[in-house]
Amino acid sequence: LLNNAVTQDNLQSKLVVAVNASGFVKNGSWGANYIKANPKFDMSSTSPLVLSKGKLIRDLSGGTLPTSVNKIYGMNKNGNLVYYTYPGGTKTEENKAVAQKIINDGVLNTFAFKPILVYDGVLKSTSTDQNIRQGLCKIDKNNFVLVTDIYASARDGFSYSELGNYMISLGCKTGFNLDGGGSTSLIFKNKNSSAITITGNTRQIADIIYFQEQ
């Protein structure tokens, strides 16, 4: 749960906002059999490479990766949203080289979700499949936008291309889709208050993205 994650990491005092990044993998979804067969995942992020605050938590890049586990998403030391692509499969040395580049580039935190919607101000997804979405995009330094699509019976939600174009209309240079729908949750601390407001579902999640005061 998002609230549990914030509490366990003692983020409350400086927290500005925290949002879920992804839910746990489900049976029949991408990489499910691979993840279920590998105890090192232990109901955590579905990413083979996991970095948190610059610390290497897990790296399974040297093993056989399912073709669907092909991108690593994250935020680097400059506060930029970035992504990297694995060759995947049995291309062990190539996969390991990508993992090492991620570390060498100073990526501080990795996240497991997909897909990328906007990069360098250009739309990256043309999917028209509509669903309830949640996304994070960056306009410039220290200027991020969270977009949450609330369910309404009169419509079917955003497609990836619609969400990406909406991000571009806001001036976003980079935008990622997060896990939306029932996973959507948010913790926000009012500027002049120690109180934290929680909205959204209480589904278990694998990753969170949070912003805090320096």
Side-chain angles (χ1 to χ4, degrees):
L1 305 183
L2 185 61
N3 189 43
N4 290 349
V6 170
T7 302
Q8 289 170 7
D9 281 354
N10 296 316
L11 304 176
Q12 304 97 315
S13 60
K14 295 184 177 182
L15 179 74
V16 176
V17 63
V19 65
N20 67 289
S22 61
F24 289 118
V25 70
K26 295 181 179 180
N27 290 336
S29 62
W30 62 278
N33 293 333
Y34 169 73
I35 290 167
K36 287 174 64 177
N38 196 324
K40 291 184 179 180
F41 280 101
D42 190 28
M43 292 296 286
S44 60
S45 168
T46 55
S47 172
L49 178 71
V50 177
L51 291 164
S52 179
K53 301 176 184 176
K55 180 181 179 181
L56 181 63
I57 305 300
R58 179 180 68 225
D59 184 8
L60 302 179
S61 305
T64 300
L65 302 179
T67 56
S68 56
V69 182
N70 61 349
K71 282 186 173 59
I72 295 289
Y73 303 85
M75 183 177 290
N76 65 19
K77 58 186 178 182
N78 297 318
N80 294 320
L81 298 173
V82 293
Y83 79 103
Y84 298 79
T85 301
Y86 277 123
T90 58
K91 298 180 179 180
T92 303
E93 293 307 313
E94 293 94 329
N95 291 330
K96 288 169 63 177
V98 172
Q100 190 59 53
K101 178 173 175 53
I102 295 170
I103 295 171
N104 293 345
D105 284 353
V107 173
L108 297 179
N109 299 286
T110 57
F111 314 110
F113 49 79
K114 63 177 185 178
I116 183 166
L117 302 177
V118 178
Y119 207 72
D120 289 334
V122 177
L123 183 68
K124 301 295 290 186
S125 176
T126 58
S127 170
T128 58
D129 178 41
Q130 292 181 314
N131 211 323
I132 307 302
R133 309 287 184 196
Q134 181 175 226
L136 172 72
C137 63
K138 181 179 180 180
I139 296 177
D140 51 35
K141 186 176 181 180
N142 297 326
N143 193 357
F144 292 82
V145 177
L146 285 169
V147 181
T148 299
D149 185 29
I150 300 174
Y151 174 77
S153 58
R155 54 188 299 274
D156 296 321
F158 271 119
S159 68
Y160 287 146
S161 59
E162 287 172 336
L163 182 54
N165 278 319
Y166 180 64
M167 290 176 170
I168 292 173
S169 75
L170 296 174
C172 292
K173 302 299 188 296
T174 307
F176 291 155
N177 177 71
L178 307 182
D179 197 34
S183 296
T184 303
S185 52
L186 173 75
I187 296 178
F188 178 77
K189 185 175 70 174
N190 294 326
K191 183 177 181 180
N192 298 317
S193 172
S194 59
I196 294 178
T197 301
I198 305 172
T199 63
N201 197 286
T202 56
R203 176 186 292 174
Q204 289 183 318
I205 54 174
D207 289 325
I208 68 170
I209 296 175
Y210 67 91
F211 298 87
Q212 68 182 62
E213 301 168 349
Q214 294 299 313

